[in-house]
């Protein structure tokens, strides 16, 4: 982590971490505009961004009293778009009424920018156990007989494998191979161009698979492997992540949790083809709401809506 500021609180915080190496934090140094003669002074705050990218900084601790409003806004923007954890040391003589989560390191209060229920180990374990249990049911009782049937039907219409495999961006930006039943003819543009309405690459059986979302069922294998969850932000193609991370604010926040087979954004009509940038902005907005407000019952509600949408039909399922 790096420390922003030179206040008494942040110096105490540094001393506390030095005295508790078992917490696992490595303080790389200080950024501040006072140029206080500190042992690990790294530079002014506005010069910190390149340093944090080059040195793979995980957490940023800021003394609020030492930062301007514009600097705080820049740090929030940087943290959200580069998957860094941002926390604030409050000024002890001020009262903060935001919903930020307060943690205590000894007697020093620290404010977290974003409270994520998945940070709770119990929630992580519960969600993972449900993912494994439900995935095993689908793999054993559905995919075991459905896959051989689809293998024959897909092969009769087009040459190529049963499964379509594609790299996607997952948890904390780590890439993984996402599985789907192949719904297109083999083509060289599958890694660059997502499916569009009336796309001539899609096979006849593929249209049925996509309309019913059956093509997504092999992703339960990804869930069992721990690369995905049943519910979460949908993983995007690498080309889409590269594009929208630059133009949609907070796009990378979606990678703070595992991607899902289905998600809140998909049940609210923001699935499939991205026609305009606002489509992705709305998707990100729902994804962040899900990340910050997760509960097991919200997952069940999203799963139920997904099943209902399959039977009702979805205009963007093509």
């Amino acid at each position: 982590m790096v420390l922003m500021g030179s206040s008494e609180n942040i110096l105490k915080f540094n001393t506390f971490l030095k005295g508790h190496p078992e917490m696992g934090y490595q303080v790389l140094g200080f950024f501040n505009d006072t140029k206080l003669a500190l042992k690990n002074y790294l530079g002014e705050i506005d010069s910190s961004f390149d340093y944090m990218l080059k040195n793979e900084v995980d957490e940023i601790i800021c003394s609020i009293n030492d930062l301007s409003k514009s600097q705080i806004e820049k740090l929030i923007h940087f943290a959200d778009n580069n998957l860094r954890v941002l926390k604030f040391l409050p000024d002890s003589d001020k009262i903060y009424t935001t919903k930020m989560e307060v943690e205590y390191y000894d007697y020093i209060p620290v404010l977290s920018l974003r409270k994520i229920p998945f940070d709770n180990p119990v929630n992580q374990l519960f969600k993972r156990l449900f993912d494994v249990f439900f995935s095993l049911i689908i793999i054993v009782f559905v995919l075991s007989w459905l896959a051989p049937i689809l293998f024959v039907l897909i092969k009769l219409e087009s040459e190529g494998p049963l499964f379509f495999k594609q790299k996607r961006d997952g948890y904390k930006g780590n890439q993984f191979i996402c599985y789907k039943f192949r719904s297109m003819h083999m083509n060289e543009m599958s890694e660059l161009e997502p499916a569009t309405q009336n796309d001539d690459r899609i096979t006849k059986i593929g249209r049925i698979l996509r309309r019913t979302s059956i093509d997504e069922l092999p992703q339960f294998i990804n869930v069992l492997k721990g690369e995905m969850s049943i519910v979460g932000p949908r993983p995007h193609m690498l080309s889409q992540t590269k594009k929208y991370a630059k133009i949609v604010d907070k796009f990378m926040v979606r990678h703070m949790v595992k991607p899902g087979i289905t998600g809140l954004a998909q049940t609210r009509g923001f699935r499939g083809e991205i026609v305009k940038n606002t489509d992705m902005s709305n998707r990100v907005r729902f994804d962040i709401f899900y990340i910050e407000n997760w509960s097991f019952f919200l997952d069940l509600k999203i799963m139920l809506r997904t099943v209902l949408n399959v039977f009702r039909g979805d205009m963007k399922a093509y």
Side-chain angles (χ1 to χ4, degrees):
M1 64 165 57
V2 292
L3 307 179
M4 302 283 180
S6 57
S7 66
E8 182 181 355
N9 265 1
I10 207 152
L11 295 178
K12 287 180 179 179
F13 185 72
N14 181 49
T15 302
F16 170 78
L17 291 181
K18 282 184 176 180
H20 293 80
E22 73 278 2
M23 297 190 71
Y25 289 107
Q26 179 187 0
V27 179
L28 300 179
F30 292 83
F31 286 94
N32 64 68
D33 292 341
T34 62
K35 299 183 180 179
L36 186 68
L38 299 171
K39 182 178 180 182
N40 296 324
Y41 178 70
L42 299 173
E44 296 182 356
I45 290 173
D46 287 344
S47 69
S48 65
F49 303 102
D50 288 338
Y51 177 91
M52 289 189 284
L53 289 174
K54 292 176 181 176
N55 292 275
E56 299 182 356
V57 171
D58 299 302
E59 293 196 13
I60 310 161
I61 306 295
C62 303
S63 174
I64 292 181
N65 201 38
D66 293 333
L67 302 178
S68 67
K69 180 181 178 182
S70 64
Q71 287 174 328
I72 291 175
E73 290 174 348
K74 286 179 183 178
L75 285 165
I76 291 174
H77 178 82
F78 175 84
D80 276 345
N81 289 288
N82 291 280
L83 293 178
R84 290 342 191 241
V85 175
L86 180 61
K87 297 181 180 179
F88 297 97
L89 278 171
D91 194 5
S92 58
D93 61 357
K94 293 180 181 178
I95 297 175
Y96 291 88
T97 58
T98 67
K99 294 182 179 179
M100 291 181 174
E101 183 181 53
V102 180
E103 303 173 78
Y104 281 88
Y105 293 75
D106 197 9
Y107 59 90
I108 305 169
V110 180
L111 297 177
S112 293
L113 168 64
R114 178 168 282 107
K115 181 179 180 181
I116 300 178
F118 297 112
D119 288 341
N120 186 321
V122 175
N123 290 343
Q124 290 180 14
L125 178 61
F126 189 78
K127 187 171 175 65
R128 179 61 184 152
L129 289 175
F130 179 79
D131 282 345
V132 170
F133 174 74
F134 199 85
S135 296
L136 284 173
I137 291 177
I138 297 298
I139 291 170
V140 173
F141 295 104
V142 179
L143 288 180
S144 60
W145 58 266
L146 182 61
I149 295 175
L150 290 180
F151 176 78
V152 175
L153 295 176
I154 291 173
K155 276 287 188 180
L156 285 175
E157 187 174 4
S158 63
E159 291 295 325
L162 170 65
F163 294 112
F164 172 67
K165 302 176 184 179
Q166 187 178 63
K167 279 188 178 181
R168 298 286 176 98
D169 287 300
Y171 178 56
K172 290 191 174 180
N174 295 318
Q175 296 178 1
F176 68 100
I177 302 298
C178 182
Y179 302 108
K180 299 178 73 173
F181 284 126
R182 183 170 60 85
S183 59
M184 290 185 177
H185 295 284
M186 300 297 291
N187 68 92
E188 296 179 353
M189 300 304 294
S190 59
E191 296 293 333
L192 300 173
E193 295 183 2
T196 58
Q197 194 167 17
N198 302 317
D199 198 319
D200 57 10
R201 295 176 297 170
I202 302 176
T203 62
K204 293 178 181 178
I205 184 66
R207 293 198 181 281
I208 298 174
L209 297 180
R210 298 174 76 92
R211 193 174 299 119
T212 58
S213 297
I214 291 175
D215 64 320
E216 309 282 0
L217 289 180
Q219 287 163 38
F220 281 100
I221 299 172
N222 291 116
V223 175
L224 191 62
K225 291 171 66 179
E227 298 163 333
M228 294 179 65
S229 182
I230 294 173
V231 181
R234 283 292 297 160
H236 288 126
M237 299 166 57
L238 303 188
S239 58
Q240 288 180 308
T241 298
K242 184 177 181 180
K243 174 183 177 181
Y244 290 108
K246 297 177 181 178
I247 60 178
V248 177
D249 190 31
K250 304 185 188 303
F251 178 87
M252 293 303 293
V253 174
R254 346 173 37 256
H255 297 88
M256 284 185 166
V257 299
K258 290 180 182 179
I261 296 177
T262 186
L264 180 62
Q266 283 63 45
T267 62
R268 296 300 182 92
F270 296 103
R271 63 167 291 178
E273 184 182 7
I274 303 298
V275 179
K276 50 188 181 295
N277 291 343
T278 53
D279 291 338
M280 184 61 77
S281 297
N282 285 319
R283 185 178 294 187
V284 169
R285 180 166 56 88
F286 279 110
D287 287 338
I288 293 177
F289 178 89
Y290 170 79
I291 291 170
E292 294 180 339
N293 297 276
W294 174 85
S295 70
F296 178 63
F297 294 104
L298 178 59
D299 273 2
L300 291 179
K301 183 177 180 180
I302 292 171
M303 292 170 64
L304 179 60
R305 276 179 169 266
T306 300
V307 174
L308 291 176
N309 286 345
V310 168
F311 287 102
R312 291 172 180 168
D314 191 322
M315 292 179 62
K316 300 192 75 173
Y318 50 79

